Amino acid sequence: MKRTLSLLLLSALSLAAAQKVATPIAIGIAVAQTSNASLFGQEQVIGAKLAEKFLNARGGVGGTPIKLVFQDTSGDEAGAINAFQNLISKDNVVGIVGPTLSQQAFSADPIADRAKVPVIGPSNTAKGIPQIGAYISRVSAPVTAIAPNALKQALKINPKLKKVAVLYAQNDAFSTSETGIFQQTAKDLDLNIATVQKFQTTDNDFTTQVTAVLGENVDLVIISGLANDSGNLIKQLRQLGYKGLIVGGNGLNSSSMFPICGQYCDGVIVAQAYSPTQSSAANQLFAREYKAQYKKDPPQFAAQAYTGVQVFVDALKVLDHKRKIADWDLGELRVALNKQILIGKYKTPLGELSFDKDGDIVQQAFYVAQIKMKDAKNGTFVFLK
Ligand code: VAL
């Protein structure tokens, strides 16, 4: 009796310690499917699903399919934490692509890091994201790499630019990080910052800020915010009479924002970490599949989410060669997978990429686009030379 009990106990213990990886292989997607941040999140869902379909059609991981498990983070920190906890402890994913906002990443990523679950940020561009911990990397190039390109392009369009106004969302980690880079670059380029105005991502009325900007007679406005706030800000700037150039940050990098500022989005300059014309074979395939389904060029957020899933799959394939994924202990696999992600080289829609020692993306090319509106709702990002 005693012996049976202790045997039972032993097997229960070993079960808890050695949880095998389930098949299909579960990869967590924790992005904003609801809230204002879903303007980005919806594009991420599309990108991730395309990757799942495409990579499974090509054999998944050594013949074993992957399965994406979606947990909606909504737009705040609590939602991201909740989604991460579910994916880690209930859904038993091998790793997580997410969250959407840097503001969320600073709260949710430490949870995955402590649990030794690899996270690939698909769109977090604030400084300091990969430094959250050893298990955190990202495929979204940081503001330091992206933002300066937009200002240089503005000066190319109008070399006489001198006086600028800077506006940013002070309650958002990405926006405060990005405005720091914009302001430093403006100084480096000998631009004179006439005014710095703050707002909240939840604001709808920007009369105070716009009035301050108009009072300074600037010829360039630089905005760091998310989609809804920045879109409304641009609209009100134009409606109240601002005529000069506008540079927008990564929060304006989605066509979901077009219906918000409508025709007033026209001409806004936005730097990009992805171009639909990127010449790699991986991108040609991705862009073709996307276009066939959605009748337009793929946006940056979709390309980056696709890339996040692909990096997981490519790294899993290397480990699968050593030992079939289904034979791994989940905890061991998560640790080995994180190591493999960081040492690998990947041929993705963003071009060939790898990671630096912190887990930040090393990417070859960046781009700048200008918004061209066709009517009040529809427009495109026109890539500039
Ligand atoms: N890149 C931003 C961030 O890191 C948004 C636009 C997704 O929060």
Side-chain angles (χ1 to χ4, degrees), residues 86-101:
N86 280 332
L87 289 171
I88 294 167
S89 309
K90 291 208 187 96
D91 302 319
N92 294 320
V93 298
V94 296
I96 298 171
V97 175
T100 300
L101 304 178

Side-chain angles (χ1 to χ4, degrees), residues 27 47 56 74 78 103 123 126 171 180 187 241 303 311 331 334 339 371:
I27 298 173
N56 276 341
S74 188
Q103 178 72 27
S123 54
N171 63 331
K187 284 177 202 146
V311 167
R334 285 165 165 176
K339 280 202 187 116
I371 297 171

Side-chain angles (χ1 to χ4, degrees), residues 285-299:
L285 278 172
F286 164 70
R288 202 186 310 137
E289 292 235 345
Y290 185 96
K291 238 181 157 163
Q293 214 166 321
Y294 298 98
K295 315 284 170 240
K296 58 173 188 179
D297 282 335

Side-chain angles (χ1 to χ4, degrees), residues 224-241:
S224 293
L226 300 180
N228 206 55
D229 44 347
S230 303
N232 278 313
L233 171 53
I234 289 171
K235 182 172 160 186
Q236 290 169 35
L237 266 167
R238 291 300 190 205
Q239 282 175 335
L240 293 174

Side-chain angles (χ1 to χ4, degrees), residues 4-193:
T4 340
L5 257 183
S6 56
L7 263 179
L8 263 178
L9 197 68
L10 247 179
S11 56
L13 272 176
S14 60
L15 248 185
Q19 180 174 24
K20 290 280 184 243
V21 179
T23 53
I25 303 164
I27 298 173
I29 308 290
V31 297
Q33 294 175 262
T34 55
S35 83
N36 275 346
S38 71
L39 293 176
F40 313 122
Q42 281 160 6
E43 293 183 347
Q44 298 180 304
V45 169
I46 289 173
K49 282 190 174 159
L50 271 180
E52 180 186 43
K53 188 175 143 212
F54 181 85
L55 298 167
N56 276 341
R58 278 152 191 81
V61 178
T64 307
I66 59 155
K67 180 180 181 299
L68 299 185
V69 184
F70 286 86
Q71 289 282 355
D72 178 15
T73 61
S74 188
D76 59 6
E77 292 90 325
I81 289 171
N82 195 34
F84 269 48
Q85 280 169 338
N86 280 332
L87 289 171
I88 294 167
S89 309
K90 291 208 187 96
D91 302 319
N92 294 320
V93 298
V94 296
I96 298 171
V97 175
T100 300
L101 304 178
S102 296
Q103 178 72 27
Q104 298 175 298
F106 285 115
S107 296
D109 284 0
I111 290 168
D113 191 60
R114 279 197 293 277
K116 295 195 167 60
V117 175
V119 173
I120 298 180
S123 54
N124 316 139
T125 55
K127 273 209 279 190
I129 295 286
Q131 289 76 16
I132 291 171
Y135 284 82
I136 314 301
S137 60
R138 66 170 151 197
V139 290
S140 43
V143 289
T144 41
I146 303 284
N149 303 327
L151 286 191
K152 287 177 194 151
Q153 187 67 49
L155 268 169
K156 234 172 155 183
I157 294 173
N158 180 4
K160 294 211 188 85
L161 289 180
K162 203 69 218 145
K163 223 174 158 193
V164 309
V166 173
L167 301 100
Y168 72 96
Q170 61 175 337
N171 63 331
D172 178 61
F174 144 73
S175 303
T176 54
S177 180
E178 190 187 63
T179 197
I181 302 301
F182 271 141
Q183 292 183 41
Q184 185 55 51
T185 311
K187 284 177 202 146
D188 295 346
L189 295 171
D190 273 337
L191 296 169
N192 162 21
I193 301 177

